[in-house]
Amino acid sequence: MQSTVLLTGASGFLGRNLDAALRTAGYAVRPVSRHHGIDFGRMLQPSAWLPLLAGVDAVINCVGIIAESGAQRFVTLHEQAPAALFRACEQAGVRRVVQISALGADSKAFSAYHLSKRAADDCLHSCDLDWFVLRPALIYGHGGASARLFMRLATLPCIPVIGDGRQMLQPVHISDVVACALRCLDAPGAKLTLDIAGPERIGYAAWLQRMRRAQGLPPARLLRCPLWLALALTRPGRYFNPMLRADNLRMLQAGQAADIGALRNFLGRMPHAADSPLFFTDALTTRI
């Protein structure tokens, strides 16, 4: 009998890749997003979710925004709506729930983005469900908004960086995140929080140079900018790109780091190393 998965955030970068991979793997998908006629920001009570959970076997929540705009608020989308969904799953008897959080949504979280993700994670931890919390690092691959921004930055004749540009990243390919989410659906254990990152820690400037090389361009000079000036430039910059926010620069400055031992054991393999072709592939065109 075909299993049905309720997938929130189905029209986003991760959601589109998950939708395609789930269908390829034989699951029926019940997509939830504004593009599918459902405003996540209005789904703030368990009663709103119960009709959507009828006949559902598992839930994957991958709704996420990197910056607030208009009615799109962190507390609503990352915390209140997911909490209502998790409580509805308890009421409906939908045991398996996968929450896509973020690397850094832990006890050291300081940004509104990470704190709101952590609040939803904590809510799920308290539920009587077979839950998984996946915390990806910076995700790259074909079709991602952040990947497009970094790819464009990498083509500039002088690459703007904060300070020396050595802020540590541990990027992970979209296929590895999708593979983890699918593995959660049939994993024998549950109640697992898992950091998802690539096998390499790399400085921000070096990451952009690698993206530049992937596009057939020679190395570029760096335009070094002190943090205080970069933060000041986010005031006008946010009107041109919603990702250019002060909190996002502070998260970049804090860097990323994860031990991938548990991830390797969970997947049964190492996550993908970032070579040039992966910048242009999605989950289905990469071995997962």
Side-chain angles (χ1 to χ4, degrees):
M1 183 175 177
Q2 189 178 43
S3 295
T4 299
V5 177
L6 182 91
L7 175 65
T8 69
S11 62
F13 172 46
L14 179 54
R16 294 193 307 272
N17 277 269
L18 273 169
D19 190 317
L22 285 165
R23 295 178 192 276
T24 299
Y27 291 93
V29 179
R30 189 168 298 173
V32 173
S33 75
R34 285 182 296 166
H35 293 279
H36 295 91
I38 301 172
D39 184 351
F40 201 69
R42 296 180 181 272
M43 308 290 285
L44 305 182
Q45 298 297 326
S47 58
W49 288 104
L50 289 174
L52 293 174
L53 292 173
V56 164
D57 300 290
V59 167
I60 302 177
N61 174 42
C62 64
V63 168
I65 56 172
I66 194 61
E68 295 181 322
S69 62
Q72 302 286 293
R73 316 305 294 179
F74 289 134
V75 69
T76 303
L77 300 182
H78 290 176
E79 182 179 349
Q80 294 174 341
L85 172 57
F86 303 154
R87 298 303 182 193
C89 287
E90 284 186 305
Q91 295 178 30
V94 179
R95 297 288 308 169
R96 186 136 304 204
V97 176
V98 182
Q99 156 78 347
I100 309 295
S101 183
L103 191 64
D106 52 29
S107 60
K108 297 180 181 179
F110 62 87
S111 68
Y113 170 79
H114 278 137
L115 289 169
S116 60
K117 283 287 190 179
R118 179 186 167 189
D121 300 348
D122 289 344
C123 175
L124 184 55
H125 293 159
S126 71
C127 293
D128 181 22
L129 296 168
D130 297 330
W131 54 260
F132 293 83
V133 173
L134 305 182
R135 302 194 299 202
L138 175 69
I139 304 174
Y140 69 96
H142 176 68
S146 61
R148 282 196 301 270
L149 173 62
F150 290 135
M151 283 293 232
R152 287 198 298 268
L153 286 174
T155 64
L156 297 175
C158 288
I159 297 177
V161 297
I162 300 173
D164 60 10
R166 293 182 182 176
Q167 298 83 8
M168 284 293 108
L169 302 174
Q170 203 166 340
V172 62
H173 190 257
I174 180 66
S175 63
D176 290 320
V177 184
V178 168
C180 283
L182 265 63
R183 179 75 180 96
C184 290
L185 297 179
D186 59 12
K191 294 181 169 55
L192 174 68
T193 297
L194 185 67
D195 291 339
I196 307 177
E200 179 185 8
R201 295 192 70 200
I202 184 171
Y204 173 69
W207 180 245
L208 290 182
Q209 296 283 21
R210 187 172 297 183
M211 284 187 154
R212 186 176 175 86
R213 185 169 67 247
Q215 297 175 84
L217 299 172
R221 296 178 58 185
L222 301 182
L223 178 61
R224 304 179 191 275
C225 181
L227 179 60
W228 66 266
L229 179 57
L231 290 172
L233 292 174
T234 61
R235 294 170 189 168
R238 62 184 177 177
Y239 296 107
F240 297 96
N241 190 304
M243 294 180 64
L244 298 176
R245 302 294 178 99
D247 258 7
N248 291 341
L249 291 190
R250 292 189 182 99
M251 287 190 288
L252 172 62
Q253 185 71 6
Q256 295 182 334
D259 183 341
I260 63 169
L263 170 64
R264 182 183 61 244
N265 292 337
F266 188 71
L267 283 180
R269 62 168 175 81
M270 285 289 288
H272 293 293
D275 59 5
S276 292
L278 288 181
F279 290 115
F280 308 104
T281 63
D282 57 21
L284 282 187
T285 54
T286 308
R287 178 180 61 85
I288 63 172

